Amino acid sequence: MLSWLVRAIGVLLLLTAIALAMSRAPDRPVDSLVARWAPPPSDFVEVQGQLVHLRDEGPREDALPVLLLHGTSASLHTWEGWVKSLRRERRVVTLDLPAFGLTGPFTGRYAGSAYTGDDYARFVLDVMDRLKIDRFVVGGNSLGGDIAWRVALLAPQRVHQLVLVDAAGPAFVPEHFPLGWRIARVPVVNRVLEWVLPRSIVAEGVAAVYGDPSRITPELVDRYFELTLREGNRRALVERMRHWRPGEGAERIASIRTPTLVIWGRRDRLIPLSVGEEFGRTIPGSRLVIFDDLGHVPQEEDPARTVKPVRAFLGLPPA
């Protein structure tokens, strides 16, 4: 019996070693990712010592550009559908936030920052200063939404309108938390993510934020997977998760006086609709639009439909 158990343990360890070897995914230099994920109109701009991957599209004479901020583990690509609709009439700026996409971890003036919402909000204002944009509309999804409302509070004189898409803010209990993020929150174990990352974990995370997983393509998973491997991003994600406190600073939301549109996917299993409803109750004059069949990233899952209320909010004619 004992010899059988020893053999079984040996086989299990061997299979584990093989699985780990097959899942080994070292960091990739940013230069190796640029050709696929940063074609024109992508640009790289230095902001306070940080090289930022961004896209600045649409008419330069627009007096109120639209800035769109993505969520955790995403990138500027999540807004491509909305940008396509808006850039004919409006200047639209999208960027990879530090720790994600091709921008990578905080460097320069922000090196050592804790990846909190307020850190990000100050950084975003520095980006807009670098682009010489004084007043603007800011929108964000998930973490990007959390940053957006903080920007509106830090610089209310600069933010003309606010769009919150399944945004973080009030405290919440997720119905489902992506496996990769759960691992990133476990001390010691999370360091394994820097060397080993099965593509299946990324695929599970993408499926978790879609209301209809059948919309997910292999190319979409490729994007999330490859940009996660950008050198430094996984370590930065661990830092982000270590400092993340759901609901931190949410009492300040009641002070927002910026005209606000709130968009939510009813099938969001990460940040429940109750959070969107709380935004709607808390921000005076805000409007809540719900898409019953969409999940946590409605702007990516169905951009053509979800951009319609945004166009109306911005005073644009139907596309």
Side-chain angles (χ1 to χ4, degrees):
M1 178 67 178
L2 182 59
S3 61
W4 177 88
L5 181 60
V6 169
R7 285 197 300 273
I9 292 173
V11 170
L12 180 61
L13 290 174
L14 177 61
L15 292 175
T16 300
I18 292 172
L20 287 173
M22 292 178 65
S23 301
R24 185 174 180 274
D27 276 355
R28 295 187 185 177
V30 65
D31 290 349
S32 70
L33 300 167
V34 167
R36 184 173 186 185
W37 304 115
S42 279
D43 196 4
F44 287 84
V45 176
E46 186 176 342
V47 179
Q48 300 288 352
Q50 175 92 45
L51 199 61
V52 181
H53 175 220
L54 59 75
R55 291 179 179 174
D56 188 350
E57 304 175 65
R60 288 297 183 272
E61 65 274 15
D62 184 6
L64 290 168
V66 179
L67 170 66
L68 298 173
L69 306 171
H70 65 77
T72 298
S73 298
S75 64
L76 60 77
H77 299 278
T78 193
W79 300 108
E80 287 176 347
W82 278 23
V83 173
K84 183 178 180 181
S85 172
L86 298 174
R87 67 188 177 192
R88 293 190 296 271
E89 299 111 326
R90 301 297 294 269
R91 181 180 179 184
V92 187
V93 177
T94 55
L95 67 141
D96 288 346
L97 292 165
F100 309 111
L102 297 179
T103 295
F106 271 134
T107 57
R109 173 184 169 187
Y110 285 87
S113 295
Y115 300 99
T116 67
D118 286 335
D119 288 333
Y120 276 120
R122 286 187 287 270
F123 177 81
V124 164
L125 287 171
D126 281 340
V127 172
M128 300 309 273
D129 287 344
R130 173 66 175 79
L131 297 177
K132 295 181 170 52
I133 296 174
D134 182 37
R135 280 178 56 76
F136 52 93
V137 176
V138 61
N141 169 237
S142 194
L143 165 63
D146 181 79
I147 299 167
W149 63 255
R150 292 173 191 271
V151 169
L153 287 173
L154 278 175
Q157 74 284 1
R158 299 185 65 177
V159 178
H160 179 68
Q161 290 172 297
L162 176 63
V163 180
L164 302 176
V165 184
D166 292 71
F172 66 93
V173 177
E175 176 186 336
H176 179 81
F177 203 59
L179 177 59
W181 296 1
R182 278 181 275 158
I183 294 173
R185 289 175 66 86
V186 180
V188 182
V189 175
N190 53 25
R191 294 301 179 187
V192 174
L193 280 180
E194 295 180 32
W195 303 100
V196 176
L197 184 64
R199 190 174 183 278
S200 59
I201 286 183
V202 175
E204 184 273 340
V206 178
V209 297
Y210 267 60
D212 180 3
S214 71
R215 297 174 184 264
I216 297 170
T217 64
E219 292 76 19
L220 179 67
V221 176
D222 280 349
R223 188 183 81 206
Y224 277 92
F225 179 63
E226 292 192 7
L227 292 178
T228 298
L229 298 181
R230 190 264 192 222
E231 54 189 351
N233 276 355
R234 282 174 286 179
R235 177 167 291 188
L237 175 63
V238 167
E239 287 302 303
R240 161 72 186 156
M241 290 299 174
R242 186 164 70 88
H243 293 281
W244 180 48
R245 302 290 183 273
E248 185 175 19
E251 69 281 354
R252 297 153 54 192
I253 294 171
S255 301
I256 295 173
R257 294 297 179 267
T258 305
T260 302
L261 172 66
V262 182
I263 293 176
W264 224 266
R266 189 181 294 276
R267 293 186 182 179
D268 190 339
R269 297 191 295 150
L270 178 60
I271 306 182
L273 175 58
S274 58
V275 173
E277 292 170 338
E278 187 169 346
F279 274 119
R281 288 191 301 269
T282 305
I283 302 175
S286 61
R287 180 191 174 207
L288 172 62
V289 177
I290 302 168
F291 291 90
D292 290 336
D293 59 331
L294 302 181
H296 183 63
V297 288
Q299 80 286 349
E300 181 175 294
E301 191 171 358
D302 192 340
R305 189 153 46 107
T306 54
V307 79
K308 290 180 180 179
V310 178
R311 291 185 61 87
F313 183 61
L314 296 176
L316 299 175

